[in-house]
Amino acid sequence: MLKHLFTFLSNSGRKTLTDEEAISAYLETQNNYYFELLYNRYSAKIYGKCLTILKERSLAQDATQDIMMKILMNLSKFGGKSKFSTWVYSITYNFCIDFIRKRKKDKSRYVEDINAYEDMADTVDDKEILEVRLENLKFIMNQIPGGDKSILMMKYLEGMSIKEISRVLEKTESAIKMKLKRAKHRFIRIHKEHIAETY
Amino acid sequence: MRDKNVFHKLQEENELEYAEVHNEIKKNVKGRIGIWAFIGDIVDLYIPKIFSVLIGGRSANRMLGLSAGEETQADDKNG
């Protein structure tokens, strides 16, 4: 109790710490106050992404806990080469993709779908994806595989470039371009089918 | 400032749901940190002792080995 009071008093007069300052302070002092600061900044965002990718609340909840622990354990490995948020989100996306990969059903569906889209020729305009209504986006995101969801989120939610996505997923840029193209095609196909069924 | 697109809106909606599970997640994370800290404390406390026991044991063996050698040399000199 006294320890917490001391931490609170010693930090109350301080300016808001940046992520990097909080990390170095945590690594120096091992004081949980600094990790809690990062936790409060990112846990909701991580949960939101996990919920979109994993669909189920309980899974998103467990994943958020595991990701926060992974961040804590690897905090000393954060080299500051990218923004801390980018590092956190790359852990989040990779965690979710690995999680989905472990579920065999999803994997087999993904393989089938890839084969079905080998002959796609024309590209999908970003505008076509971004103009989808929120209700329809929810439906589409519930239908497409986690790998596609992650890549679409990295592009349209985080605003990452192909190069950045390739670095996060440790794949070549051409592989990412192909994956993105497939994901966009699948997105549009499901959207069109949904619109046709609904209206 | 970047404009909010439909993906940002979905993310915001999901983040609002976080309020419902926030306490449970935080409690679990704190619990896990506590367990790790406890294991860390145990390691801090006992690892140096284990090392000192091992080192002590080894040096005792060496001393015994040395005195056995000395004894042999002494025996040779005496014929």
Side-chain angles (χ1 to χ4, degrees), chain A residues 20 78-87 167:
Chain A
E20 286 73 15
F78 172 66
K81 284 177 189 169
S82 61
K83 271 165 63 180
F84 181 64
S85 58
T86 310
W87 187 71
R167 220 177 292 148

Side-chain angles (χ1 to χ4, degrees), chain A residues 36 39-40 43-45 47-49 52 57 61 65-66 69 73 132 134 137-138 156-158, chain B residues 2 5-8 10-11 13-15 17-18 20-21 24-26 28-30 32-33 36:
Chain A
E36 211 165 325
Y39 177 92
N40 291 336
S43 56
K45 290 185 172 81
Y47 177 81
K49 290 174 209 306
T52 307
R57 284 180 182 189
Q61 207 171 318
Q65 286 168 29
D66 289 344
M69 289 307 292
M73 298 297 178
V132 166
L134 182 60
L137 178 68
K138 281 183 200 170
Y156 298 113
L157 178 65
E158 316 301 346
Chain B
R2 201 173 45 176
N5 65 37
V6 71
F7 283 84
H8 294 118
L10 179 63
Q11 171 70 11
E13 218 172 83
N14 285 346
E15 281 179 32
E17 276 195 36
Y18 179 70
E20 293 168 26
V21 292
E24 203 178 327
I25 293 180
K26 197 165 188 175
N28 289 340
V29 171
K30 273 190 172 178
R32 284 167 74 171
I33 292 173
W36 279 107

Side-chain angles (χ1 to χ4, degrees), chain A:
Chain A
M1 186 68 189
L2 274 174
K3 193 178 156 191
H4 286 293
L5 185 67
F6 176 74
T7 308
F8 174 75
L9 289 173
S10 60
N11 291 304
S12 56
R14 199 176 291 176
K15 68 176 172 63
T16 314
L17 294 176
T18 63
D19 291 343
E20 286 73 15
E21 285 168 343
I23 293 163
S24 53
Y26 176 78
L27 293 174
E28 261 176 44
T29 62
Q30 296 291 310
N31 188 331
N32 282 341
Y33 166 83
Y34 297 107
F35 180 68
E36 211 165 325
L37 211 68
L38 299 169
Y39 177 92
N40 291 336
R41 272 178 208 168
Y42 289 100
S43 56
K45 290 185 172 81
I46 293 170
Y47 177 81
K49 290 174 209 306
C50 291
L51 188 58
T52 307
I53 301 169
L54 305 174
K55 293 190 265 188
E56 286 174 42
R57 284 180 182 189
S58 59
L59 292 180
Q61 207 171 318
D62 290 347
T64 308
Q65 286 168 29
D66 289 344
I67 291 164
M68 287 313 303
M69 289 307 292
K70 207 169 183 178
I71 290 167
L72 177 68
M73 298 297 178
N74 290 291
L75 217 48
S76 58
K77 291 179 191 164
F78 172 66
K81 284 177 189 169
S82 61
K83 271 165 63 180
F84 181 64
S85 58
T86 310
W87 187 71
V88 167
Y89 300 149
S90 70
I91 290 177
T92 306
Y93 287 118
N94 278 310
F95 183 92
C96 291
I97 290 168
D98 286 346
F99 183 87
I100 289 162
R101 226 173 253 159
K102 283 172 193 161
R103 299 167 114 195
K104 281 183 182 174
K105 279 184 188 175
D106 201 290
K107 194 178 176 183
S108 59
R109 196 177 75 188
Y110 186 55
V111 172
E112 280 168 27
D113 284 356
I114 283 174
N115 294 336
Y117 282 84
E118 267 177 354
D119 61 339
M120 64 203 168
D122 48 334
T123 53
V124 176
D125 191 0
D126 287 347
K127 209 178 160 189
E128 210 176 331
I129 287 174
L130 295 174
E131 279 177 354
V132 166
R133 288 170 58 190
L134 182 60
E135 294 311 308
N136 291 337
L137 178 68
K138 281 183 200 170
F139 178 83
I140 299 164
M141 293 303 254
N142 272 329
Q143 299 298 312
I144 59 176
D148 282 1
K149 265 188 262 188
S150 305
I151 211 162
L152 289 169
M153 285 166 76
M154 280 186 242
K155 171 132 177 84
Y156 298 113
L157 178 65
E158 316 301 346
M160 287 181 178
S161 64
I162 299 285
K163 199 174 182 179
E164 284 169 323
I165 299 172
S166 72
R167 220 177 292 148
V168 167
L169 298 180
E170 294 175 351
K171 296 247 159 59
T172 62
E173 284 183 39
S174 57
I176 295 298
K177 274 182 197 165
M178 185 48 78
K179 273 177 182 288
L180 187 61
K181 196 175 172 184
R182 278 178 189 146
K184 283 159 85 173
H185 272 266
R186 204 185 325 254
F187 185 100
I188 292 300
R189 177 182 61 94
I190 293 169
H191 184 231
K192 280 178 183 165
E193 283 172 4
H194 181 56
I195 294 286
E197 278 169 21
T198 320
Y199 304 104

Side-chain angles (χ1 to χ4, degrees), chain B residues 24-69:
Chain B
E24 203 178 327
I25 293 180
K26 197 165 188 175
K27 201 177 89 184
N28 289 340
V29 171
K30 273 190 172 178
R32 284 167 74 171
I33 292 173
I35 290 168
W36 279 107
F38 177 71
I39 293 169
D41 287 346
I42 295 285
V43 168
D44 277 351
L45 196 67
Y46 289 109
I47 289 285
K49 283 190 179 174
I50 291 170
F51 272 109
S52 59
V53 167
L54 287 174
I55 291 165
R58 202 173 165 191
S59 52
N61 282 344
R62 266 195 198 160
M63 280 173 72
L64 284 173
L66 200 70
S67 55

